């Protein structure tokens, strides 16, 4: 899905030409690699560089929203061997921004990573790319070749003292390999299973060495921040929520796609950019930050602006910026069943509460959806999620619990109706009308 | 030290320790499954969740480091709620069929479920079923019970040193399994049974033979290698049904080798090659079962006759190094009473030139636990992983913390230890190679080496080993360890002297890895010849009229089994005290006295570090067998030898040791001999290992171990160049002969038929053929020159 619209393009400046604008030449024409050159020629200090990033209040775009400058400053200065790792695993349902970033403008991520390497004193970087977007991996490799040939990567970059090389690594599509320590294990050639933290990657990361790991979009923002200055970037958004953000809008909108908007843009505006509700139907619910973010009902969502603080205040998370829009034709039990199935499938299986709990949740939601629910099931679901949350090695267990809790919280009557009447509250015919899948098949029927 | 508070009690703990360790220190139990003090932290079971002040979530006690001022609550509402939650999750997919589970009664999950589980579960879906895995003849699986704690996986990777198990698939379908089509083949595999907190991994030989609460327990000591691992023997109706480790940090930690764990099956062996349960005498070529007094009279007469007609020196005494101290002590006393000085327990040794020149009893040269503190180690002449698995394990951990381990040997078997340097040379080159290391270390230290070593110089390999040995920082500890192969070597005394010189140059220590349970005890019991007495090799080289054999099978246990067999066969009278019978014994013996194995007698072993470990019988003697010390005592009385009045094994021990010390005195490895660097052998040299499951008469009779990978039939192993040189391909059937004996000539017996196998860990011109095995016994000496021909 290419970009359709944007306010204040930074990350998406080069996207306009579709597949034609990704090359090094195009990127340089847009001012690319100028920041790297400036840093190297001016011999900017690492501290100044990190201070600039801190000023921008860039927060990690991978989901947790951790301040990037602060994260970089955790890297031990003296360590002889360090790594920078980019997380392009992008497995969160609803999220499809990182792959477009690498498809249309891979060099901004490369430049961001080189600059990060400079800032934290790493000589080597890896970009871990989701296994199911192999053509993006190939695109990134092509861009790396260009950068290497142009002297942006390798020994003594642009004649400076600084050396840095960067490699692409593709996974095989496991969601858990997006969790940063699972990702590191996977690069090391092991099974992708998160590590217990602490120690955090800044102390014990790739191959046991200090490692900075950020999301693709986080790295891609770096050259733009340095170009305009941290403060100007911050001011694009709102306090504590610097800059612009890519939102992957999907679901029942007329123009699903990636949209870059300043932090703090009203949800209503984003929805409008995405062409509004498909078929003019009524908005029912929105998952604002990827499938693991709690769902919000329409009215709550319509009052939100798209930034970390506003969404958190409303009881959800901005997460990765995947905005899943659901209209009135959606059966919330069925939607939850699909989500629960995902987490049940993707749990790595290490920790007891997640290994056993994700399956339990899925089975109970499944039986409610299939008319075999029991009165006590809603309490049971809440109790099981309660027993999972905050008790595991990584956040996948919480990610599995949030949808269950929020769906039941906001749409309890639908669940109760299912248990009681052994069918959906939303008439199947209505569901059929709303679903693209169903519509396609009825079209066949008609023909 | 940091100060923390657990459940209201303040305590000081070492910085960097975890909450669970701190709680343990004050005697507070925190429920756990995946945590194990010897393994890396996995933090996956989540059973150990506790409340920590200011932490919003419960924290895993096994993985959370203490911090100054930390307040921990192990029984608060939050903690208990979390623990109960985890227990509920653990049980939803667990079969809960404890009454038919082999782990029932000793299951961590069962125990904790009583404290943290609810009586009913709300989980009403179908439970998970996991296919069982074939892990080999020793470990049975019931994978549906697995709680995925990964202890077994971490054990094999970290302690045993090789990734043999892993967790495949993910989420609810995660399964612990070996590589496809592979079994778990380490010499330490049985430990995963102890580690498994549930009944997923159990002992295959023990399976369903008893409920744990029916078993009586007795402490004991392993009769196998020189460590003397501490055992718990479990019996039912006076049969040993299971052996478990008794934790002893100083010796075996909490581990056992598979040999120690499963050899008990040999105690219950039956049939022609099984336990000897009745006294027997040979009359007119016929074996008869007789009463004890008849057999003892017969034995006494036979020995007295030989002593009278030919003199005491016509009798030779061959004692197993696995016999107890008490048995050895009384046996030597008996032989000396008969006027014989021909007594030895060092059956696989071939160089006795240090006898009379030793300053004391050869031993490890340090405590076993101190091996783990060495920073620079050279292991000389040792099939370490198979001969001393638990010492290999200690060095494996040392290497991980940065110790540098080097090896000098005639085979490059994978020790699963990160090695710094290695020199793999033909057996005859071992002394010269060690001398080179001595020279190289002397050069690095800037001191003069022994001029007697000057002619060998120092090559690159020796220099590399030397560089590692001297590379330690101030105060680092160096050790040189001589293995079984070095002790069996025809120039063992030279290796001893060279190790001694090397240790002196390094300011370190050196010692011997005791081959058998009583390798030190034999010296202490005076089971070695003095004066004109003949040692083990000499009394077989110059055949005697009579032999007394205690606990040994000389045809398999001696340095030259073929010669042992010949000498015993020609003897007029062979008196055998043995727990087992064999065809060979029936051929050469005149009288067979059934004696108790270690499990049915009290006794003592003095381990390789000189520690005296006494034990009681775990079971009653089988059939008419009797403890050997009692049999020897009666024989002493019958032969009217003085000093046979002891009424208990303790009395014998106290007499032998002059009391009951914890450690024996007089331990000293120094010898006063001149190094001999002449390489004797020339040609295709035999490299003989003693396979782990053939090393003594007990383990040879343990059926499950005999099915294990380590019990493979011996082959003729050569490196690629040697194979080519002899026109062979791996897989060829070959005739292996002792050199000089042609295939059509006399001495046809000294040849065996084997399958050629490629082993690139061998030096050139070396042919590896295992000893101590019926298939190769005819080949004779462990160190010899062989020839090989394709059939
Ligand atoms: C189950 C799970 C899956 C995750 N998947 C991704 C992912 O696909 N991409 C990503 O950037 N971060 C993902 N994260 C977050 C990362 O662990 C990590 O926080 C992030 O890469 C840090 O980068 P940032 O600070 O730039 O956001 C995931 C986290 C969890 C718990
Ligand atoms: S929470 Fe789930 S996905 Fe994360 S480590 Fe534990 S089992 Fe694996
Ligand atoms: S088999 Fe036993 S030790 Fe291994 S993971 Fe399962 S429960 Fe743990
Ligand atoms: S014992 Fe701590 S998580 Fe398993």
């Amino acid at each position: 899905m290419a970009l359709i619209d944007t306010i204040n393009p930074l990350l998406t400046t080069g996207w306009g030409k579709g597949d034609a604008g990704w090359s090094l030449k195009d990127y340089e024409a847009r001012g690319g690699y100028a920041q790297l050159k400036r840093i190297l020629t001016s011999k900017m200090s690492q501290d100044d560089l990190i201070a600039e990033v801190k000023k921008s209040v860039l927060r990690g775009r991978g989901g947790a929203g951790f301040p990037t400058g602060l994260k970089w400053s955790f890297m031990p200065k003296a360590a002889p061997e360090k790594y920078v790792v980019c997380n392009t695993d992008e497995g969160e349902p609803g999220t499809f921004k990182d792959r477009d970033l690498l498809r249309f403008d891979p060099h901004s991520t490369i430049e961001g990573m080189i600059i990060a390497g400079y800032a934290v004193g790493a000589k080597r970087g890896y970009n871990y790319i989701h296994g199911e977007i192999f053509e993006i991996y190939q695109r990134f490799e092509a861009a790396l070749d260009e950068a290497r040939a142009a002297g942006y990567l390798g020994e003594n970059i642009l004649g400076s003292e600084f050396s840095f090389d960067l490699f692409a690594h593709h996974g095989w599509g496991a969601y858990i390999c997006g969790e940063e320590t699972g990702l590191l294990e996977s690069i090391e050639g092991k099974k992708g299973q998160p590590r217990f933290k602490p120690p955090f990657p800044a102390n014990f990361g790739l191959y046991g060495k200090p490692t900075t790991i950020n999301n693709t979009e986080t790295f891609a923002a770096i050259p733009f921040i340095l170009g305009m200055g941290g403060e100007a970037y911050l001011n694009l958004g709102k306090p504590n929520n610097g800059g612009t953000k890519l939102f992957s809008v999907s679901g029942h909108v007329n123009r699903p796609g990636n949209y870059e908007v300043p932090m703090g843009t009203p949800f209503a505006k984003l929805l409008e950019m995405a062409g509004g509700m498909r078929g003019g139907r009524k908005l029912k619910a929105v998952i604002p930050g990827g499938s693991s973010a709690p769902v919000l009902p329409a009215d709550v969502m319509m009052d939100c602006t798209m930034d970390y603080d506003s969404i958190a205040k409303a009881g959800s998370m901005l997460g990765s910026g995947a905005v899943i829009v659901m209209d009135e034709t959606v059966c919330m039990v069925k939607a939850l069943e699909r989500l629960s199935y995902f987490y049940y499938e993707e749990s790595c299986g290490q920790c007891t509460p997640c290994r056993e709990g994700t399956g339990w949740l899925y089975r109970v939601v499944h039986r409610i959806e299939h008319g075999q629910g029991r009165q006590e099931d809603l309490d049971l679901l809440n109790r099981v999620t309660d027993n999972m949350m905050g008790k595991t090695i990584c956040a996948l267990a919480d990610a599995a619990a949030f949808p269950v809790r929020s769906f039941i919280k906001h749409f309890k009557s639908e669940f109760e109706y299912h248990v009681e009447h052994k069918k959906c509250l939303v008439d199947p015919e209505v569901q059929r009308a709303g679903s693209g899948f169903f519509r396609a098949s009825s079209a066949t029927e008609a023909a | 030290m940091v100060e923390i508070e657990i459940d209201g009690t303040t305590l000081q703990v070492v910085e960097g320790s975890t909450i669970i360790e701190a709680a343990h220190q004050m005697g507070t139990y925190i429920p756990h499954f995946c945590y194990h003090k010897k393994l890396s932290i996995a933090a996956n079971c989540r059973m150990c969740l506790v409340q920590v002040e200011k932490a919003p979530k419960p924290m895993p006690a096994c993985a959370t480091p203490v911090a100054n001022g930390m307040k921990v609550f192990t029984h608060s509402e939050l903690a208990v709620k979390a623990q109960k939650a985890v227990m509920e999750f653990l049980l939803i997919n667990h079969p809960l069929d404890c009454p038919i589970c082999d782990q029932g009664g000793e299951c961590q999950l069962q125990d904790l479920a009583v404290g943290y589980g609810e009586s009913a579960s709300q989980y009403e879906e179908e439970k998970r079923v996991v296919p069982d895995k074939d892990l080999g003849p020793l470990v049975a699986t019931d994978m549906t019970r697995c709680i995925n704690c990964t202890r077994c996986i971490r054990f094999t990777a970290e302690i045993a040193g090789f990734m043999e198990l892993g967790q495949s698939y993910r989420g609810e379908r995660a399964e612990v399994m070996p590589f496809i089509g592979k079994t778990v083949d380490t010499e330490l595999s049985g430990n995963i049974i102890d580690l498994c907190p549930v009944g997923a991994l159990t002992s295959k030989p023990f399976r369903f033979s008893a409920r744990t609460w029916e078993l009586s327990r007795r402490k004991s000591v392993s009769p196998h290698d020189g460590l003397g691992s501490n055992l718990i023997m479990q019996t039912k109706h006076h049969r040993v049904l299971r052996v478990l480790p008794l934790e002893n940090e100083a010796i075996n930690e909490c581990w056992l080798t598979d040999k120690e764990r499963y050899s008990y099956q040999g105690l219950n062996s039956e049939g022609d090659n099984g336990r000897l349960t009745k006294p027997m005498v040979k009359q007119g070529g016929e074996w008869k079962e007789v009463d004890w007094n008849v057999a003892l009279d017969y034995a006494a007469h036979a020995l007295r006759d030989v002593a009278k007609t030919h003199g005491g020196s016509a009798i030779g005494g061959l004692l197993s190094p696995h016999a107890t101290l008490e048995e050895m002590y009384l046996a030597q006393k008996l032989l000396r009473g008969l006027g014989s000085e021909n007594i030895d327990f060092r059956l696989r040794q071939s160089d006795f030139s240090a006898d009379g020149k030793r300053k004391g009893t050869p031993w490890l040269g340090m405590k076993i636990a101190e091996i783990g503190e060495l920073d620079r180690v050279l292991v000389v002449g040792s099939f370490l992983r198979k001969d001393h698995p638990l010492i290999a394990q200690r060095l494996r951990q040392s290497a991980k913390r940065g110790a540098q381990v080097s090896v000098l040997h005639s085979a490059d078997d994978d020790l699963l230890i990160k090695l710094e340097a290695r020199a793999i040379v033909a057996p005859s080159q071992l002394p010269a190679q060690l001398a080179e290391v001595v020279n190289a270390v002397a050069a690095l230290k800037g001191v003069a080496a022994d001029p007697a070593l000057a002619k060998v110089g120092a090559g690159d390999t020796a220099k590399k080993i030397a560089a590692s040995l001297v590379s330690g920082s101030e105060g680092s500890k160096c050790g040189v360890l001589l293995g079984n192969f070095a002790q069996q070597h025809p120039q063992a005394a030279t290796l001893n002297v060279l190790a001694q010189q090397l240790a002196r140059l390094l300011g370190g220590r050196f010692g011997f890895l005791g081959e058998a349970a009583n390798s030190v005890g034999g010296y202490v019991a005076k089971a070695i010849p003095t004066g004109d007495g003949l040692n083990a090799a000499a009394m077989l080289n110059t055949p005697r009229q009579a032999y007394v054999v205690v606990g040994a099978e000389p045809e398999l246990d001696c340095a030259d089994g073929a010669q042992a067999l010949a000498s015993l066969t020609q003897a007029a009278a062979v008196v055998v005290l043995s727990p087992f019978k064999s065809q060979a014994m029936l051929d050469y013996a005149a009288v067979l006295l059934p004696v108790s194995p270690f499990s049915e007698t009290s006794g003592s072993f003095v381990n390789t570090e000189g520690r005296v470990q006494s034990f009681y019988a775990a079971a009653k003697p089988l059939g008419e067998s009797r403890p050997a010390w009692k049999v020897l005592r009666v024989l002493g009385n019958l032969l009217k030898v003085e000093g046979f009045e002891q009424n208990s094994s303790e009395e014998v021990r106290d007499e032998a040791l002059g009391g009951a010390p914890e450690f024996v005195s007089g331990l000293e490895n120094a010898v006063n001999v001149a190094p001999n660097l002449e390489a004797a052998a020339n040609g295709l040299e035999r490299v003989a290992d003693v396979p782990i499951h053939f090393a003594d008469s007990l383990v040879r009779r343990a059926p499950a171990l005999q099915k294990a990978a380590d019990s493979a039939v011996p082959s003729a192993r050569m490196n690629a160049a040697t194979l080519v040189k002899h026109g062979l391909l791996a897989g060829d059937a070959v005739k292996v002969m002792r050199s000089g004996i042609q295939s059509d000539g006399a001495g046809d017996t000294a040849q065996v038929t084997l399958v050629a196998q490629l082993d690139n860990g061998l030096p050139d011109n070396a042919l590896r053929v295992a000893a101590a095995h019926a298939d190769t016994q005819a080949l004779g000496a462990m160190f010899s020159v062989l020839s090989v021909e394709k059939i």
Side-chain angles (χ1 to χ4, degrees), chain B residues 670-725:
Chain B
V671 289
N672 190 11
V673 295
N676 162 23
L677 299 177
E678 299 310 321
N682 194 355
L684 185 60
E685 294 184 40
R686 178 174 183 184
V687 175
D689 58 315
V690 176
I692 181 167
H693 296 158
F694 294 97
D696 60 64
S697 50
L698 177 58
V699 66
R700 285 193 283 264
R701 290 175 171 80
L705 288 172
Q706 291 303 318
K707 281 186 235 146
D710 271 331
S711 306
V713 179
S715 55
R717 291 157 71 168
M718 285 157 271
N719 71 15
T722 310
L723 278 174
V724 169
K725 189 170 161 188

Side-chain angles (χ1 to χ4, degrees), chain B residues 32-35 43-48 60 62:
Chain B
H32 59 268
F33 292 109
C34 68
Y35 167 77
N44 58 28
C45 79
R46 316 307 283 181
M47 191 64 218
C48 68
C62 69

Side-chain angles (χ1 to χ4, degrees), chain A residues 191 356 363 367 374, chain B residues 46 93 124-125 169 172:
Chain A
K191 191 177 177 195
E356 308 295 343
R363 289 192 177 87
R367 78 166 176 241
R374 305 169 196 153
Chain B
R46 316 307 283 181
N93 272 311
E124 291 167 29
E125 325 304 316
Y169 313 122
E172 207 184 74

